[in-house]
């Protein structure tokens, strides 16, 4: 897993489709789903760590993007 798209595809394997129109909310829901999949031991630790790292990176990008938008206002 290296991209947001990879994460979406991974979750689709478990029948999880997340679209809310709010990227931050989607990422938070994905984190919840990934944690649950890992808790049920359906995901190895390496993939879990990579997925959580990817989500945190995406959340940081979205937060930074929102700060720039707020500054322009």
């Amino acid at each position: 897993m290296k991209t947001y798209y990879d994460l979406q595809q991974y979750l689709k394997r478990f029948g999880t489709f997340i679209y809310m129109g709010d990227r931050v909310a989607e990422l938070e829901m994905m984190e919840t789903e990934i944690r649950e999949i890992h808790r049920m031991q359906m995901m190895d630790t390496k993939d879990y760590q990579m997925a959580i790292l990817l989500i945190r990176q995406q959340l940081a990008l979205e937060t930074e993007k929102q700060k720039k938008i707020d500054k322009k206002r």
Side-chain angles (χ1 to χ4, degrees), residues 24-40:
V24 173
E26 290 173 8
L27 288 164
E28 290 170 350
M29 181 62 75
M30 286 179 177
E31 184 172 350
T32 301
E33 291 295 323
I34 290 293
R35 288 183 187 282
E36 187 65 20
I37 290 167
H38 183 255
R39 187 188 66 76
M40 292 188 295

Side-chain angles (χ1 to χ4, degrees), residues 32-63:
T32 301
E33 291 295 323
I34 290 293
R35 288 183 187 282
E36 187 65 20
I37 290 167
H38 183 255
R39 187 188 66 76
M40 292 188 295
Q41 299 179 349
M42 298 170 65
M43 174 185 221
D44 69 7
T45 302
K46 184 179 177 183
D47 286 338
Y48 170 74
Q49 289 173 337
M50 195 64 183
I52 294 297
L53 177 63
L54 176 62
I55 290 168
R56 298 269 167 83
Q57 288 173 339
Q58 291 295 312
L59 280 170
L61 288 172
E62 289 301 316
T63 302

Side-chain angles (χ1 to χ4, degrees), residues 6-28:
D6 293 341
L7 183 57
Q8 286 178 315
Q9 296 306 306
Y10 185 82
L11 288 171
K12 283 182 184 178
R13 291 183 3 193
F14 296 95
T16 302
F17 297 82
I18 299 172
Y19 178 76
M20 298 176 192
D22 177 0
R23 184 87 177 243
V24 173
E26 290 173 8
L27 288 164
E28 290 170 350

